[in-house]
Amino acid sequence: MAPRWAERIKLRQLRVVLAVDEHGSITRAAEHLFITQAAVSKVIAEIETLVGTELFERKGRSVTPTDAGHHVIRTARRVATELKLLGEEVELISEGGAGLLIIGLQAISILQLVARVVATMKARHPRVTIRLVEDTLPNLLRELRAGRVNLVFGRLIRGLLTPDLDGAQILSEPYVVIASYGHPLLRASRLDWEQACSHDWCLPLPGTPIREHFADQMSALHVAMPSRAIETTSAATIATLLQTMPLLALAPANLAEEWVRGGVCTVTPLQLPARPEPIGLIWSATATLSSSAHIFRSETMAILHAPPVDG
């Protein structure tokens, strides 16, 4: 339970604390805030009385935060950031939304969810331009760190979320082996991996998590990887190729079900063990999300936790 004084702290007091920490001096903080030094000292004294301990150590004309001060400052920064985002979101909503939002996609199994979030986002904020960029996870994370991508959907591989990145688990989706309709392999009385790998395949790009997972499974079964392969991570390309030539491919189960209903392919009996790493939404832990990115993330989480619709 929060202490009573936490309910009595005012935003004005937190702004003064942040100014003093930023400028390292009562005098410079007062100049920045366009108030007197006495007024700054009074506010700091008020909040220290509420908290019950000193927030700054005075060393001549400069001040440095105490341990308690560091905690208050971190909270004050979070409050200031949330208020800034709130203001931007309200403005975005009132104006119908505007700007560019860049979403990185490493995992095609997330396409259905992304499509739902994009549809919701565009309905509520039609002037936000949403750019979907497909690439390998290392490339997308490099773009995310550089600020050229706002959010990334990708596998949460062990050790991926370094201190400069944060993320949330979205789903853990098994992959299945699919085949073009009428594929000769489907007429075989006995179906095994060695036989399957002798045919043409559409495989994920080298270095992608699902490609490595597939290679690990074939190695465990002592089966050589397919030598007749087309490599792509584009779901649209895979679907087109499946309808153009006899082909085997890997696809997330939910996407495979959609393609089966659309007459694109059929699911084979071959079993590929589920990957241990779930798919997640990843963002920068050191940079403030833009208003549109913040809303997109919120919409994603809301859709994930929404009850299913009957019918």
Side-chain angles (χ1 to χ4, degrees):
M1 185 176 182
R4 288 178 176 269
W5 57 260
E7 301 174 0
R8 297 168 59 191
I9 291 180
K10 300 178 176 62
L11 289 174
R12 174 181 60 86
Q13 294 171 323
L14 293 180
R15 290 192 182 100
V16 170
V17 168
L18 288 176
V20 172
D21 174 61
E22 180 181 352
H23 296 281
S25 138
I26 300 290
T27 302
R28 289 195 292 272
E31 292 172 352
H32 173 75
L33 296 169
F34 299 102
I35 58 178
T36 65
Q37 296 179 42
V40 173
S41 296
K42 179 182 178 183
V43 170
I44 296 299
E46 288 173 350
I47 196 168
E48 287 179 335
T49 299
L50 282 174
V51 174
T53 186
E54 288 188 346
L55 302 184
F56 295 97
E57 293 180 7
R58 281 72 171 175
K59 297 179 180 179
R61 293 186 177 182
S62 64
V63 295
T64 56
T66 62
D67 288 342
H70 281 297
H71 285 285
V72 172
I73 289 164
R74 279 198 298 270
T75 300
R77 286 198 185 115
R78 286 200 298 269
V79 171
T81 299
E82 289 298 323
L83 286 174
K84 180 177 181 290
L85 285 173
L86 176 61
E88 291 175 350
E89 288 167 15
V90 170
E91 183 177 359
L92 190 66
I93 292 168
S94 65
E95 294 182 357
L100 173 65
L101 177 62
I102 304 177
I103 308 295
L105 301 175
Q106 176 262 329
I108 64 172
S109 54
I110 206 73
L111 288 177
Q112 287 183 319
L113 172 64
V114 172
R116 290 175 63 193
V117 180
V118 168
T120 301
M121 187 84 177
K122 292 299 291 183
R124 296 178 181 174
H125 311 289
R127 293 202 296 139
V128 173
T129 298
I130 301 174
R131 182 180 299 166
L132 303 177
V133 180
E134 293 185 34
D135 207 335
T136 61
L137 191 56
N139 287 344
L140 289 174
L141 294 184
R142 183 165 54 250
E143 294 296 289
L144 179 64
R145 289 185 169 101
R148 292 187 288 268
V149 167
N150 300 105
L151 298 165
V152 170
F153 286 100
R155 293 250 172 215
L156 297 180
I157 302 168
R158 186 185 301 276
L160 173 72
L161 296 183
T162 51
D164 63 326
L165 297 176
D166 203 350
Q169 179 176 330
I170 301 299
L171 57 85
S172 181
E173 181 69 23
Y175 268 69
V176 295
V177 178
I178 55 177
S180 305
Y181 272 111
H183 195 289
L185 187 69
L186 300 174
R187 297 193 294 269
S189 57
R190 177 176 170 271
L191 188 60
D192 59 38
W193 280 106
E194 186 171 3
Q195 183 183 14
C197 287
S198 68
H199 287 264
D200 291 319
W201 277 75
C202 190
L203 292 175
L205 293 176
T208 56
I210 188 60
R211 173 67 175 264
E212 293 180 358
H213 178 55
F214 182 62
D216 288 343
Q217 294 305 314
M218 294 306 98
S219 176
L221 294 171
H222 305 289
V223 173
M225 287 284 286
S227 59
R228 296 156 50 182
I230 302 166
E231 298 176 341
T232 180
T233 55
S234 168
T237 301
I238 296 170
T240 301
L241 289 170
L242 283 165
Q243 297 175 88
T244 306
M245 60 184 290
L247 200 64
L248 298 170
L250 302 171
N254 62 349
L255 187 59
E257 290 174 7
E258 180 183 331
W259 283 350
V260 169
R261 290 193 296 269
V264 174
C265 65
T266 186
V267 177
T268 75
L270 293 170
Q271 299 291 319
L272 185 68
R275 284 186 56 82
E277 304 95 343
I279 295 169
L281 180 60
I282 307 165
W283 59 89
S284 172
T286 58
T288 301
L289 284 178
S290 68
S291 299
S292 55
H294 186 77
I295 293 172
F296 191 95
R297 184 179 67 180
S298 298
E299 295 289 0
T300 300
M301 299 306 170
I303 286 176
L304 281 173
H305 296 103
V309 179
D310 294 332

